[in-house]
Amino acid sequence: RVGVAVVDTFVWQGLASVAIPGFTINRLCAASLALLGTLTRWPLPVRRWATTALGLSAIPLIITPIDRTVDFLMDSSLRKLYGTPGEP
């Protein structure tokens, strides 16, 4: 049971805390930098700081949806392989 819990926690943390938020924020920042480059005449350092601020401000907004999505994905896939305590 301990091994299963360790693997489950490792996979969940890897997805919900590292991989998916990192990818999401990276793509959000890349898109915002490109958009600011086409819509404004701000100098590059200002656009980069604005992009950084947008990426950091997005963190509180993406936490809950990502956590719920990872729970759903793991319940639908990996957790079916080993079951959860209390399941028949």
Side-chain angles (χ1 to χ4, degrees):
R1 280 195 246 172
V2 172
V4 168
V6 167
V7 169
D8 185 77
T9 302
F10 180 75
V11 171
W12 193 93
Q13 288 292 332
L15 290 172
S17 298
V18 179
I20 296 173
F23 177 78
T24 303
I25 292 170
N26 176 275
R27 295 295 83 207
L28 177 66
C29 288
S32 68
L33 184 62
L35 193 61
L36 286 173
T38 59
L39 296 179
T40 68
R41 293 180 183 231
W42 295 349
L44 183 59
V46 174
R47 290 192 314 249
R48 285 185 177 166
W49 277 107
T51 297
T52 301
L54 180 69
L56 289 173
S57 66
I59 293 171
L61 302 174
I62 66 172
I63 291 172
T64 301
I66 289 175
D67 288 353
R68 289 182 180 165
T69 302
V70 171
D71 279 333
F72 174 77
L73 291 173
M74 288 188 63
D75 288 343
S76 301
S77 60
L78 185 62
R79 290 179 180 155
K80 283 186 175 183
L81 297 175
Y82 52 80
T84 56
E87 272 188 19

Coordinates of all heavy atoms in Angstrom, one line a residue:
R1 N 0.8 -1.2 0.0 CA 0.0 0.0 0.0 C 0.9 1.3 0.0 O 0.5 2.2 -0.6 CB -0.9 0.0 1.2 CG -2.1 -0.8 1.1 CD -3.1 -0.5 2.1 NE -3.3 -1.6 3.0 CZ -4.0 -1.6 4.1 NH1 -4.5 -0.4 4.5 NH2 -4.1 -2.6 4.9
V2 N 1.9 1.2 0.7 CA 2.8 2.4 0.8 C 3.4 2.7 -0.6 O 3.5 3.8 -1.0 CB 3.9 2.2 1.9 CG1 4.9 3.3 1.8 CG2 3.3 2.1 3.2
G3 N 3.8 1.7 -1.3 CA 4.4 1.8 -2.6 C 3.4 2.4 -3.6 O 3.7 3.3 -4.4
V4 N 2.2 2.0 -3.5 CA 1.1 2.5 -4.4 C 0.9 4.0 -4.0 O 0.7 4.8 -4.9 CB -0.2 1.7 -4.2 CG1 -1.4 2.4 -4.9 CG2 0.0 0.3 -4.8
A5 N 0.8 4.3 -2.7 CA 0.6 5.7 -2.3 C 1.8 6.6 -2.8 O 1.5 7.7 -3.2 CB 0.4 5.8 -0.8
V6 N 3.0 6.1 -2.7 CA 4.1 6.9 -3.1 C 4.1 7.1 -4.6 O 4.3 8.3 -5.1 CB 5.5 6.1 -2.8 CG1 6.7 6.8 -3.5 CG2 5.7 6.1 -1.3
V7 N 3.8 6.1 -5.4 CA 3.7 6.2 -6.9 C 2.5 7.2 -7.2 O 2.7 8.1 -8.1 CB 3.5 4.9 -7.6 CG1 3.2 5.0 -9.0 CG2 4.8 4.1 -7.4
D8 N 1.4 7.0 -6.6 CA 0.2 7.8 -6.9 C 0.5 9.3 -6.6 O 0.3 10.2 -7.4 CB -1.0 7.4 -6.1 CG -2.2 8.1 -6.4 OD1 -2.8 7.8 -7.5 OD2 -2.6 9.0 -5.6
T9 N 1.2 9.5 -5.4 CA 1.5 10.9 -5.0 C 2.5 11.5 -6.0 O 2.4 12.7 -6.4 CB 2.0 10.9 -3.6 OG1 1.1 10.4 -2.7 CG2 2.4 12.3 -3.2
F10 N 3.5 10.7 -6.4 CA 4.6 11.2 -7.3 C 4.0 11.6 -8.6 O 4.3 12.6 -9.2 CB 5.7 10.1 -7.4 CG 6.8 10.5 -8.3 CD1 7.7 11.4 -7.9 CD2 6.9 10.0 -9.6 CE1 8.8 11.8 -8.8 CE2 7.9 10.4 -10.5 CZ 8.8 11.3 -10.0
V11 N 3.2 10.7 -9.2 CA 2.6 11.0 -10.5 C 1.6 12.2 -10.4 O 1.7 13.1 -11.2 CB 1.8 9.8 -11.0 CG1 1.0 10.1 -12.2 CG2 2.7 8.6 -11.3
W12 N 0.8 12.3 -9.3 CA -0.1 13.4 -9.2 C 0.7 14.7 -9.1 O 0.4 15.7 -9.7 CB -1.0 13.2 -8.0 CG -2.1 14.2 -7.9 CD1 -3.4 14.0 -8.4 CD2 -2.1 15.5 -7.4 NE1 -4.2 15.1 -8.2 CE2 -3.4 16.1 -7.6 CE3 -1.2 16.3 -6.7 CZ2 -3.8 17.3 -7.2 CZ3 -1.5 17.6 -6.3 CH2 -2.8 18.1 -6.6
Q13 N 1.7 14.8 -8.2 CA 2.5 16.0 -8.0 C 3.2 16.3 -9.3 O 3.3 17.5 -9.6 CB 3.5 15.8 -6.8 CG 2.9 15.8 -5.5 CD 2.3 17.1 -5.1 OE1 2.7 18.2 -5.5 NE2 1.3 17.1 -4.3
G14 N 3.7 15.3 -10.0 CA 4.5 15.6 -11.2 C 3.6 16.3 -12.2 O 4.0 17.2 -12.9
L15 N 2.4 15.8 -12.3 CA 1.4 16.4 -13.3 C 0.8 17.7 -12.8 O 0.9 18.7 -13.5 CB 0.3 15.4 -13.6 CG 0.7 14.1 -14.4 CD1 -0.5 13.2 -14.5 CD2 1.2 14.5 -15.8
A16 N 0.3 17.7 -11.6 CA -0.5 18.9 -11.1 C 0.4 20.0 -10.6 O -0.1 21.1 -10.6 CB -1.5 18.4 -10.0
S17 N 1.6 19.7 -10.3 CA 2.4 20.8 -9.7 C 3.6 21.2 -10.6 O 4.1 22.3 -10.4 CB 3.0 20.4 -8.4 OG 2.0 20.2 -7.4
V18 N 3.9 20.4 -11.6 CA 5.1 20.7 -12.4 C 4.8 20.7 -13.9 O 4.9 21.8 -14.5 CB 6.2 19.6 -12.1 CG1 7.5 19.9 -13.0 CG2 6.6 19.6 -10.7
A19 N 4.4 19.6 -14.4 CA 4.3 19.5 -15.9 C 3.2 20.4 -16.5 O 3.4 21.2 -17.3 CB 4.1 18.1 -16.3
I20 N 2.0 20.2 -16.0 CA 0.8 20.9 -16.6 C 0.9 22.4 -16.3 O 0.7 23.3 -17.2 CB -0.5 20.3 -16.2 CG1 -0.6 18.9 -16.7 CG2 -1.7 21.1 -16.7 CD1 -1.7 18.1 -16.3
P21 N 1.1 22.9 -15.0 CA 1.2 24.3 -14.8 C 2.4 24.9 -15.5 O 2.3 26.1 -16.1 CB 1.4 24.4 -13.3 CG 0.9 23.2 -12.7 CD 1.2 22.1 -13.8
G22 N 3.5 24.2 -15.6 CA 4.7 24.8 -16.3 C 4.4 25.0 -17.8 O 4.7 26.0 -18.4
F23 N 3.7 24.0 -18.4 CA 3.4 24.1 -19.8 C 2.3 25.2 -20.0 O 2.5 26.0 -21.0 CB 2.8 22.8 -20.3 CG 2.4 22.8 -21.7 CD1 3.3 22.8 -22.8 CD2 1.0 22.9 -22.0 CE1 2.9 22.8 -24.1 CE2 0.6 22.9 -23.4 CZ 1.5 22.9 -24.4
T24 N 1.3 25.3 -19.2 CA 0.3 26.2 -19.3 C 0.8 27.7 -19.2 O 0.5 28.5 -20.0 CB -0.8 26.0 -18.2 OG1 -1.3 24.7 -18.4 CG2 -2.0 27.0 -18.4
I25 N 1.6 27.9 -18.2 CA 2.1 29.3 -18.0 C 3.1 29.6 -19.1 O 3.1 30.7 -19.6 CB 2.8 29.4 -16.6 CG1 1.7 29.3 -15.5 CG2 3.6 30.7 -16.5 CD1 2.2 29.2 -14.1
N26 N 3.9 28.7 -19.6 CA 4.8 28.9 -20.7 C 4.1 29.3 -21.9 O 4.5 30.3 -22.6 CB 5.7 27.7 -20.9 CG 6.6 27.8 -22.1 OD1 6.2 27.6 -23.3 ND2 7.8 28.2 -21.8
R27 N 3.0 28.6 -22.3 CA 2.3 28.9 -23.5 C 1.5 30.3 -23.3 O 1.4 31.0 -24.3 CB 1.3 27.8 -23.8 CG 1.9 26.5 -24.2 CD 2.7 26.6 -25.5 NE 4.1 27.1 -25.3 CZ 4.8 27.8 -26.2 NH1 4.4 28.0 -27.4 NH2 6.0 28.2 -25.9
L28 N 1.0 30.5 -22.1 CA 0.3 31.8 -21.8 C 1.3 33.0 -22.0 O 1.0 34.0 -22.6 CB -0.3 31.8 -20.4 CG -1.0 33.1 -20.0 CD1 -2.2 33.3 -20.8 CD2 -1.4 33.0 -18.5
C29 N 2.5 32.8 -21.5 CA 3.5 33.9 -21.6 C 3.9 34.0 -23.0 O 4.1 35.2 -23.5 CB 4.7 33.6 -20.7 SG 4.3 33.8 -18.9
A30 N 4.2 33.0 -23.7 CA 4.6 33.1 -25.1 C 3.5 33.8 -26.0 O 3.8 34.6 -26.8 CB 4.9 31.7 -25.7
A31 N 2.2 33.4 -25.7 CA 1.1 34.0 -26.5 C 1.0 35.5 -26.2 O 0.8 36.3 -27.0 CB -0.2 33.3 -26.2
S32 N 1.1 35.8 -24.9 CA 1.0 37.2 -24.5 C 2.1 38.1 -25.0 O 1.9 39.2 -25.4 CB 0.8 37.4 -23.0 OG 2.0 37.0 -22.3
L33 N 3.3 37.5 -25.0 CA 4.5 38.3 -25.6 C 4.3 38.5 -27.1 O 4.5 39.6 -27.5 CB 5.8 37.5 -25.3 CG 7.1 38.2 -25.7 CD1 7.2 39.5 -25.0 CD2 8.3 37.3 -25.5
A34 N 3.8 37.5 -27.8 CA 3.6 37.7 -29.2 C 2.4 38.7 -29.4 O 2.5 39.6 -30.3 CB 3.2 36.4 -29.8
L35 N 1.4 38.6 -28.6 CA 0.2 39.5 -28.8 C 0.6 41.0 -28.4 O 0.3 41.9 -29.2 CB -0.9 39.0 -27.9 CG -2.3 39.7 -28.1 CD1 -2.8 39.3 -29.5 CD2 -3.2 39.1 -27.1
L36 N 1.4 41.1 -27.4 CA 1.9 42.5 -27.0 C 2.8 43.0 -28.1 O 2.8 44.2 -28.4 CB 2.6 42.5 -25.7 CG 1.7 42.3 -24.5 CD1 2.6 42.2 -23.2 CD2 0.8 43.5 -24.3
G37 N 3.5 42.2 -28.8 CA 4.4 42.6 -29.8 C 3.6 43.1 -31.1 O 4.1 44.0 -31.7
T38 N 2.5 42.6 -31.3 CA 1.7 43.0 -32.5 C 0.7 44.1 -32.1 O 0.4 44.9 -33.0 CB 0.9 41.8 -33.1 OG1 0.0 41.3 -32.1 CG2 1.8 40.7 -33.6
L39 N 0.3 44.2 -30.9 CA -0.7 45.2 -30.5 C -0.2 46.5 -29.9 O -0.9 47.5 -29.9 CB -1.8 44.6 -29.6 CG -2.6 43.4 -30.1 CD1 -3.5 42.9 -29.0 CD2 -3.4 43.9 -31.3
T40 N 1.0 46.4 -29.4 CA 1.6 47.6 -28.8 C 2.9 48.0 -29.4 O 3.5 47.2 -30.2 CB 1.8 47.4 -27.3 OG1 2.9 46.5 -27.1 CG2 0.6 46.9 -26.6
R41 N 3.4 49.2 -29.1 CA 4.7 49.6 -29.5 C 5.6 49.7 -28.3 O 6.6 50.5 -28.3 CB 4.6 50.9 -30.2 CG 3.9 50.9 -31.5 CD 3.9 52.2 -32.2 NE 3.1 52.1 -33.4 CZ 3.5 52.5 -34.6 NH1 4.7 53.1 -34.7 NH2 2.8 52.4 -35.7
W42 N 5.3 49.0 -27.2 CA 6.1 49.0 -26.0 C 7.5 48.4 -26.3 O 7.6 47.5 -27.1 CB 5.5 48.2 -24.9 CG 4.2 48.7 -24.4 CD1 3.6 49.9 -24.7 CD2 3.3 48.0 -23.6 NE1 2.4 50.0 -24.0 CE2 2.2 48.9 -23.4 CE3 3.2 46.8 -23.0 CZ2 1.1 48.5 -22.5 CZ3 2.2 46.4 -22.2 CH2 1.1 47.3 -22.0
P43 N 8.5 48.9 -25.7 CA 9.9 48.4 -25.8 C 9.9 46.9 -25.3 O 9.1 46.5 -24.4 CB 10.8 49.2 -25.0 CG 9.9 50.3 -24.4 CD 8.5 50.1 -24.8
L44 N 10.8 46.1 -25.8 CA 10.9 44.7 -25.5 C 11.0 44.5 -24.0 O 10.3 43.6 -23.4 CB 12.0 44.0 -26.2 CG 12.2 42.5 -26.0 CD1 10.9 41.8 -26.4 CD2 13.4 42.0 -26.7
P45 N 11.8 45.2 -23.2 CA 11.8 45.0 -21.8 C 10.5 45.2 -21.1 O 10.1 44.4 -20.2 CB 12.9 45.9 -21.3 CG 13.8 46.2 -22.4 CD 12.8 46.2 -23.6
V46 N 9.7 46.1 -21.5 CA 8.4 46.4 -20.9 C 7.5 45.2 -21.2 O 6.7 44.8 -20.4 CB 7.8 47.7 -21.4 CG1 6.4 47.9 -20.9 CG2 8.7 48.9 -20.9
R47 N 7.5 44.8 -22.5 CA 6.7 43.6 -22.9 C 7.0 42.4 -22.1 O 6.2 41.6 -21.7 CB 6.8 43.4 -24.4 CG 6.2 44.4 -25.2 CD 6.0 44.0 -26.7 NE 7.2 43.4 -27.2 CZ 8.0 44.0 -28.2 NH1 7.7 45.2 -28.6 NH2 9.1 43.4 -28.6
R48 N 8.3 42.2 -21.9 CA 8.7 41.0 -21.1 C 8.3 41.1 -19.7 O 7.8 40.1 -19.1 CB 10.2 40.8 -21.2 CG 10.7 40.3 -22.5 CD 12.2 40.1 -22.5 NE 12.6 39.5 -23.8 CZ 13.9 39.4 -24.2 NH1 14.8 39.9 -23.4 NH2 14.2 38.9 -25.4
W49 N 8.4 42.3 -19.1 CA 7.9 42.4 -17.7 C 6.4 42.2 -17.6 O 5.9 41.6 -16.6 CB 8.3 43.8 -17.1 CG 9.7 43.7 -16.6 CD1 10.8 44.3 -17.2 CD2 10.2 43.1 -15.4 NE1 11.9 44.1 -16.4 CE2 11.6 43.3 -15.3 CE3 9.6 42.3 -14.4 CZ2 12.4 42.8 -14.3 CZ3 10.4 41.8 -13.4 CH2 11.7 42.1 -13.3
A50 N 5.7 42.8 -18.6 CA 4.2 42.6 -18.6 C 3.9 41.1 -18.8 O 2.9 40.6 -18.1 CB 3.6 43.4 -19.7
T51 N 4.6 40.4 -19.6 CA 4.4 39.0 -19.8 C 4.6 38.2 -18.5 O 3.9 37.3 -18.1 CB 5.3 38.5 -20.9 OG1 4.9 39.1 -22.1 CG2 5.2 37.0 -21.1
T52 N 5.7 38.6 -17.8 CA 6.0 37.9 -16.5 C 4.9 38.2 -15.5 O 4.5 37.3 -14.8 CB 7.4 38.4 -16.0 OG1 8.4 38.1 -17.0 CG2 7.7 37.8 -14.7
A53 N 4.5 39.4 -15.4 CA 3.4 39.7 -14.5 C 2.1 39.0 -14.8 O 1.4 38.5 -13.9 CB 3.1 41.2 -14.5
L54 N 1.8 38.8 -16.1 CA 0.6 38.1 -16.5 C 0.8 36.6 -16.1 O -0.2 36.0 -15.6 CB 0.4 38.2 -18.0 CG -0.8 37.4 -18.6 CD1 -2.1 38.1 -18.1 CD2 -0.8 37.4 -20.1
G55 N 1.9 36.0 -16.4 CA 2.2 34.6 -16.0 C 2.0 34.4 -14.5 O 1.4 33.4 -14.1
L56 N 2.6 35.3 -13.7 CA 2.5 35.1 -12.3 C 1.1 35.3 -11.8 O 0.6 34.6 -10.9 CB 3.5 36.1 -11.6 CG 4.9 35.8 -11.7 CD1 5.8 37.0 -11.1 CD2 5.3 34.5 -11.0
S57 N 0.4 36.3 -12.4 CA -1.0 36.5 -11.9 C -2.0 35.4 -12.3 O -3.0 35.2 -11.8 CB -1.5 37.8 -12.4 OG -1.6 37.8 -13.8
A58 N -1.6 34.6 -13.3 CA -2.4 33.5 -13.8 C -2.3 32.3 -12.8 O -3.2 31.4 -12.8 CB -2.0 33.1 -15.2
I59 N -1.3 32.2 -12.0 CA -1.1 31.0 -11.2 C -2.3 30.7 -10.3 O -2.8 29.6 -10.2 CB 0.2 31.1 -10.4 CG1 1.4 31.0 -11.3 CG2 0.3 30.0 -9.3 CD1 2.7 31.4 -10.7
P60 N -2.8 31.7 -9.5 CA -4.0 31.4 -8.7 C -5.2 31.0 -9.4 O -6.0 30.2 -8.9 CB -4.2 32.7 -7.9 CG -3.0 33.5 -8.0 CD -2.3 33.1 -9.3
L61 N -5.3 31.4 -10.7 CA -6.5 31.1 -11.5 C -6.5 29.7 -12.1 O -7.5 29.1 -12.3 CB -6.7 32.1 -12.6 CG -6.8 33.6 -12.2 CD1 -6.8 34.5 -13.4 CD2 -8.1 33.7 -11.3
I62 N -5.3 29.1 -12.3 CA -5.2 27.8 -12.9 C -5.0 26.7 -11.9 O -5.1 25.5 -12.4 CB -4.0 27.8 -13.9 CG1 -2.6 27.9 -13.2 CG2 -4.1 28.8 -15.0 CD1 -1.4 27.7 -14.1
I63 N -4.8 26.9 -10.7 CA -4.6 25.9 -9.7 C -5.7 24.9 -9.6 O -5.5 23.7 -9.8 CB -4.2 26.4 -8.3 CG1 -2.9 27.1 -8.3 CG2 -4.2 25.3 -7.3 CD1 -2.6 27.9 -7.1
T64 N -6.9 25.4 -9.3 CA -8.1 24.5 -9.1 C -8.4 23.7 -10.3 O -8.6 22.5 -10.2 CB -9.3 25.3 -8.5 OG1 -8.8 25.9 -7.3 CG2 -10.4 24.4 -8.3
P65 N -8.5 24.3 -11.5 CA -8.9 23.5 -12.7 C -7.9 22.5 -13.0 O -8.2 21.4 -13.4 CB -9.0 24.6 -13.8 CG -9.2 25.9 -13.1 CD -8.5 25.8 -11.8
I66 N -6.6 22.8 -12.8 CA -5.6 21.7 -13.1 C -5.7 20.6 -12.1 O -5.6 19.4 -12.5 CB -4.2 22.4 -13.1 CG1 -4.0 23.2 -14.4 CG2 -3.1 21.3 -13.1 CD1 -2.7 24.0 -14.4
D67 N -5.8 20.9 -10.8 CA -5.9 19.9 -9.8 C -7.1 19.0 -10.1 O -7.0 17.7 -10.0 CB -6.1 20.5 -8.4 CG -4.8 21.1 -7.9 OD1 -3.7 20.9 -8.6 OD2 -4.8 21.7 -6.8
R68 N -8.3 19.5 -10.4 CA -9.5 18.7 -10.7 C -9.3 17.9 -11.9 O -9.7 16.7 -12.0 CB -10.7 19.6 -10.8 CG -11.1 20.2 -9.5 CD -12.3 21.1 -9.6 NE -12.7 21.6 -8.3 CZ -13.5 22.6 -8.2 NH1 -14.1 23.2 -9.2 NH2 -13.8 23.1 -7.0
T69 N -8.6 18.4 -12.9 CA -8.4 17.7 -14.2 C -7.5 16.5 -13.9 O -7.7 15.4 -14.4 CB -7.8 18.6 -15.2 OG1 -8.8 19.7 -15.5 CG2 -7.6 17.9 -16.5
V70 N -6.4 16.7 -13.2 CA -5.5 15.7 -12.9 C -6.2 14.6 -12.0 O -6.0 13.4 -12.3 CB -4.2 16.2 -12.2 CG1 -3.3 15.1 -11.7 CG2 -3.4 17.1 -13.1
D71 N -7.0 15.0 -11.1 CA -7.7 14.0 -10.3 C -8.6 13.1 -11.2 O -8.6 11.9 -11.1 CB -8.6 14.6 -9.2 CG -7.8 15.0 -8.0 OD1 -6.8 14.3 -7.7 OD2 -8.2 16.0 -7.3
F72 N -9.3 13.8 -12.1 CA -10.2 13.1 -13.0 C -9.4 12.1 -13.9 O -9.8 11.0 -14.1 CB -11.0 14.1 -13.9 CG -11.8 13.4 -15.0 CD1 -13.0 12.8 -14.6 CD2 -11.4 13.4 -16.3 CE1 -13.8 12.2 -15.6 CE2 -12.1 12.8 -17.3 CZ -13.3 12.2 -16.9
L73 N -8.3 12.6 -14.5 CA -7.5 11.8 -15.4 C -6.9 10.6 -14.7 O -6.9 9.5 -15.2 CB -6.4 12.6 -16.0 CG -6.8 13.7 -17.0 CD1 -5.6 14.5 -17.4 CD2 -7.4 13.0 -18.2
M74 N -6.4 10.8 -13.5 CA -5.9 9.7 -12.7 C -7.0 8.7 -12.3 O -6.7 7.5 -12.3 CB -5.0 10.2 -11.5 CG -3.8 10.8 -12.0 SD -2.6 11.2 -10.7 CE -2.3 9.6 -10.0
D75 N -8.1 9.2 -11.9 CA -9.2 8.3 -11.5 C -9.7 7.5 -12.7 O -10.1 6.4 -12.6 CB -10.4 9.1 -11.0 CG -10.2 9.7 -9.6 OD1 -9.2 9.2 -8.9 OD2 -10.9 10.6 -9.2
S76 N -9.6 8.1 -13.9 CA -10.0 7.4 -15.1 C -9.0 6.5 -15.7 O -9.3 5.7 -16.6 CB -10.4 8.5 -16.2 OG -11.4 9.3 -15.7
S77 N -7.8 6.6 -15.2 CA -6.7 5.7 -15.9 C -5.9 5.0 -14.8 O -6.2 3.8 -14.5 CB -5.8 6.6 -16.7 OG -5.2 7.6 -15.9
L78 N -4.9 5.6 -14.3 CA -3.9 5.0 -13.4 C -4.5 4.3 -12.2 O -4.2 3.2 -11.8 CB -2.8 6.0 -13.0 CG -1.6 5.4 -12.2 CD1 -0.9 4.4 -13.1 CD2 -0.7 6.5 -11.8
R79 N -5.4 5.0 -11.5 CA -6.0 4.5 -10.3 C -6.9 3.3 -10.5 O -7.2 2.6 -9.6 CB -6.7 5.7 -9.6 CG -5.8 6.7 -9.0 CD -6.5 7.8 -8.3 NE -5.5 8.8 -7.8 CZ -5.7 10.0 -7.6 NH1 -6.9 10.5 -7.8 NH2 -4.8 10.8 -7.1
K80 N -7.4 3.1 -11.7 CA -8.2 1.9 -12.0 C -7.3 0.7 -12.0 O -7.8 -0.4 -11.7 CB -8.8 2.0 -13.4 CG -10.0 2.9 -13.4 CD -10.7 2.9 -14.7 CE -12.0 3.7 -14.7 NZ -12.7 3.6 -15.9
L81 N -6.0 0.8 -12.2 CA -5.1 -0.3 -12.2 C -4.9 -0.9 -10.8 O -4.8 -2.1 -10.7 CB -3.7 0.1 -12.8 CG -3.7 0.5 -14.2 CD1 -2.3 1.0 -14.6 CD2 -4.1 -0.6 -15.1
Y82 N -4.9 0.0 -9.8 CA -4.6 -0.5 -8.5 C -5.8 -0.3 -7.5 O -5.7 -0.7 -6.4 CB -3.3 0.1 -7.9 CG -3.2 1.6 -7.9 CD1 -3.9 2.4 -7.0 CD2 -2.5 2.2 -8.9 CE1 -3.8 3.7 -7.1 CE2 -2.4 3.6 -9.0 CZ -3.0 4.3 -8.1 OH -2.9 5.7 -8.1
G83 N -6.8 0.4 -8.0 CA -8.0 0.6 -7.1 C -7.7 1.5 -6.0 O -6.6 1.9 -5.7
T84 N -8.7 1.9 -5.3 CA -8.6 2.8 -4.1 C -9.1 2.1 -2.9 O -10.0 1.3 -3.0 CB -9.3 4.2 -4.3 OG1 -10.7 3.9 -4.6 CG2 -8.7 4.9 -5.5
P85 N -8.6 2.4 -1.7 CA -9.1 1.7 -0.5 C -10.6 2.0 -0.4 O -11.2 3.0 -0.6 CB -8.4 2.4 0.6 CG -7.2 3.0 0.0 CD -7.6 3.3 -1.5
G86 N -11.3 0.9 0.0 CA -12.8 1.0 0.2 C -13.6 0.6 -1.0 O -14.8 0.5 -0.9
E87 N -12.9 0.4 -2.1 CA -13.7 0.0 -3.3 C -13.9 -1.5 -3.3 O -13.1 -2.2 -2.8 CB -12.9 0.3 -4.6 CG -13.1 1.7 -5.1 CD -12.4 1.9 -6.5 OE1 -12.1 0.8 -7.2 OE2 -12.2 3.0 -6.9
P88 N -15.1 -1.9 -3.8 CA -15.4 -3.4 -3.8 C -14.5 -4.1 -4.8 O -14.0 -3.6 -5.7 CB -16.8 -3.5 -4.2 CG -17.2 -2.1 -4.8 CD -16.2 -1.1 -4.3

